[in-house]
Amino acid sequence: MKLQALTSPSLISTGNVFHSKVEVIQHLVNKLAEAGKIDSKEIFLQAVLDRETHSPTGFEGGLAIPHGKSSTVKEAAFAVAVLKSPLTDWESIDPNNQVQLVILLAIPESEAGSTHLALLSELVTRLSDPSYKEKLLHSKTNTELYMRLDNMNTAETKKNVKKLDKTIIAITACPAGIAHTYMAAEALVKAGNELGVDVFVEKQGANGIEDRHTTALLKKADAVIFATDVAVKDEGRYAHLPKMKTSVAAPLRNAKEIIQQALEKAEREPKKEYDPTKNTSSSSDDLGGKTFKNEIKDSILTGVSYMIPIIVAGGMTLAAAVLISQTFGLQDVYNHEGSWLWLLRQLGSGLLGQLMVPILAAYMAYSIADKPALGPGFAAGVAANLIGSGFLGGMLGGFLAGFFLKFMKKNIQPKGTFAGFVSFWVYPVVGTLVVGSIMLFVIGEPLAWINQGLVKWLGSMSGTNAIILGAIIGAMVSFDLGGPVNKAAYTFCIGAMASGNIVPYAAFSSVKMVSAFSVTAATIIGKQYFNKQEKEIGKQTWLLGLAGITEGAIPFMINDPFRVIPSLIAGSAVTGAIVAYFHIGLSVPGAGIFSLALVKGQPILLAASIWLGAALIGALISMILLIITRKNKLKKEVRNNQSVALNKKVGGAS
């Protein structure tokens, strides 16, 4: 790759004095804007600062590579700053890193998985050569540094290193799957060359698995190194090898030491015969790991990512059953236990009502404590269903199962004759009994009391002010998107329907479309204010909304609950109030848009228009609030960062 094609002398600064990380980034963002590489300085600056909160972009040896992916970037480019005075407050993998060389990457969102990774990989490879980095650092002018970007030494000086007949394989993976993944891989390979050890690294990054270990390598290797901050994919391949586990940042500081420790472990614990049919749980050897904050975040994201396919499959299956019953007048078949349509309905509702929460809890636990936590995690989710705590209870159960199993793995290690007994009996059985008991007998009663109180409160309002009742139902539906508050509203509406009051359920079913429609609309109309993950969620929630499924917006809510929840409640309350005010009713439990032909209380066309129109009005209100609150949040963060930079500058000057 020609680096000069992605920058220019005007994008390079040498010898400048900066007082903070934010000041450097703002300077380079301004350079990119002046060169016509980005449309909006503010939006791109926020994208870069958002990325800074995920993991350190400072490395070692004076290097930092901040980067931002945004639709405001016209074409891939990078800007460079060589600092006259090093910065010591840049969050770095090496705590002692004093940043002197900053390379800011600007990547269009459409090239996040191609140009972004290729450029990072190329920079990491080149900058791992100390002589190349020193040439850039000692450039006196912008043009001189620009000319040196592609001036690599082709002749390598070979040292007389004694070649050892040893092979180490390694896996590198970071949460973002980009910079640290590749830099750790380069560090391990380089250290192996210096030690005379063959090192082959499989990178599990944003592009999937790269340089996958072959069967021949798995048989030949003496040990494996897991330099990862996320769960290793297909870890069972390495069951026969001595393992060393460390964080993805560790090889950047002491790659030689890690390789030497792996070799020592291989001497103490020789490898077993390779058997591809075995898939044992991971070792508990850890030299480092995630911070508690990252562990919580990664756990939630892992659980949600596994839960979403269940929501989609269950929702669409249930919607198909409802659509068939309502289109062809098969309500009796739909409600007749054992009929084909009843079975299809049970399949969809079973995925949503029975499997969704256990899947969430199980894979949250799996993210924290690997495979041994799956059984207790599923148990926690089942218990959450039994006590009626919804996805919030499932999340709590997932954390509980994950951290309890992590504690067990640390204190009860599978060694010797009883290794299999510990892994396949002690962990799942003890974990399930302890976690399940806590969920059922400690957490269950308070949550059940809350649910029952909400149902009684709603029931006491029946027959009073219809607008207030509709607004309360609407607010409760979108408060926790399928959680206990939502379920309390549902229980009340079903009970009211059974008693002959069909208005509450009509409000309930109309409101269930609001959150999904508003999230999709917000991420399309205000797409510049939302990140890639949120926009991906937005693409699918409207489909779930058509089926009356609120759970699709849960990942969106988790990312920013203090702004998203009030925004959704406001629009939902308006929708519920409109439906209740016009006395629109629904006497059959339906799902989303498929209830349109069954609404009552007014002439059919008027009733259908009011019922659907109320949902669209509520979605419009929530969409506007979602965009405004997110825009204000981003502006506030930019102002805060600028204020911090100014304070540091003033402090440095004084």
Side-chain angles (χ1 to χ4, degrees), residues 392-435:
L392 291 176
M395 289 175 64
L396 181 60
F399 289 137
L400 181 62
F403 286 113
F404 181 71
L405 263 293
K406 189 175 184 180
F407 171 81
M408 287 187 66
K409 287 175 65 180
K410 183 178 180 180
N411 292 278
I412 309 173
Q413 297 185 7
K415 294 181 179 179
T417 306
F418 293 99
F421 176 75
V422 171
S423 295
F424 297 106
W425 197 93
V426 174
Y427 287 161
V429 173
V430 175
T432 296
L433 287 173
V434 171
V435 173

Side-chain angles (χ1 to χ4, degrees), residues 192-266:
N193 291 336
E194 294 176 1
L195 293 171
V197 177
D198 292 326
V199 177
F200 299 90
V201 184
E202 176 179 301
K203 295 173 281 291
Q204 297 187 357
N207 260 358
I209 296 179
E210 298 180 51
D211 301 321
R212 188 181 183 92
H213 293 140
T214 63
T215 300
L217 268 179
L218 291 169
K219 292 179 178 179
K220 183 181 179 182
D222 296 289
V224 61
I225 296 169
F226 292 151
T228 65
D229 285 348
V230 294
V232 175
K233 298 175 183 175
D234 215 358
E235 187 176 344
R237 295 174 289 164
Y238 308 97
H240 64 298
L241 293 174
K243 299 177 183 66
M244 291 297 297
K245 280 198 168 187
T246 185
S247 65
V248 73
L252 302 181
R253 297 190 296 268
N254 54 0
K256 285 185 180 180
E257 182 182 339
I258 292 170
I259 292 174
Q260 288 170 339
Q261 289 177 349
L263 291 173
E264 291 170 4
K265 189 163 188 178

Side-chain angles (χ1 to χ4, degrees), residues 39 99 176 202 212 264-265 307 309 371 463 567 595:
D39 286 323
V99 173
E202 176 179 301
R212 188 181 183 92
E264 291 170 4
K265 189 163 188 178
M307 180 181 68
K371 289 182 181 177
S567 299
S595 300

Side-chain angles (χ1 to χ4, degrees), residues 364-387:
M364 285 179 63
Y366 168 77
S367 175
I368 296 170
D370 210 352
K371 289 182 181 177
L374 277 174
F378 273 111
V382 171
N385 282 341
L386 290 174
I387 61 179

Side-chain angles (χ1 to χ4, degrees), residues 94-219:
D94 179 1
N96 300 315
N97 189 33
Q98 298 187 17
V99 173
Q100 286 184 279
L101 177 63
V102 181
I103 302 175
L104 173 62
L105 311 187
I107 308 294
E109 278 193 350
S110 59
E111 299 179 33
S114 53
T115 307
H116 190 192
L117 298 181
L119 178 55
L120 266 173
S121 180
E122 186 68 24
L123 284 169
V124 166
T125 302
R126 296 192 187 192
L127 291 166
S128 63
D129 180 356
S131 62
Y132 176 79
K133 185 168 61 178
E134 286 300 313
K135 286 181 180 178
L136 298 186
L137 283 171
H138 290 93
S139 299
K140 301 297 183 184
T141 66
N142 303 355
T143 302
E144 184 180 356
L145 191 150
Y146 175 77
M147 297 305 295
R148 288 178 172 179
L149 283 172
D150 290 314
N151 186 14
M152 295 287 294
N153 290 327
T154 54
E156 295 183 2
T157 57
K158 294 198 174 183
K159 300 178 181 179
N160 293 323
V161 178
K162 183 181 178 181
K163 187 72 174 176
L164 303 177
D165 186 22
K166 296 292 182 182
T167 299
I168 298 292
I169 55 178
I171 289 179
T172 58
C174 64
I178 306 175
H180 298 165
T181 299
Y182 294 92
M183 294 192 80
E186 290 290 335
L188 287 168
V189 171
K190 182 181 176 183
N193 291 336
E194 294 176 1
L195 293 171
V197 177
D198 292 326
V199 177
F200 299 90
V201 184
E202 176 179 301
K203 295 173 281 291
Q204 297 187 357
N207 260 358
I209 296 179
E210 298 180 51
D211 301 321
R212 188 181 183 92
H213 293 140
T214 63
T215 300
L217 268 179
L218 291 169
K219 292 179 178 179

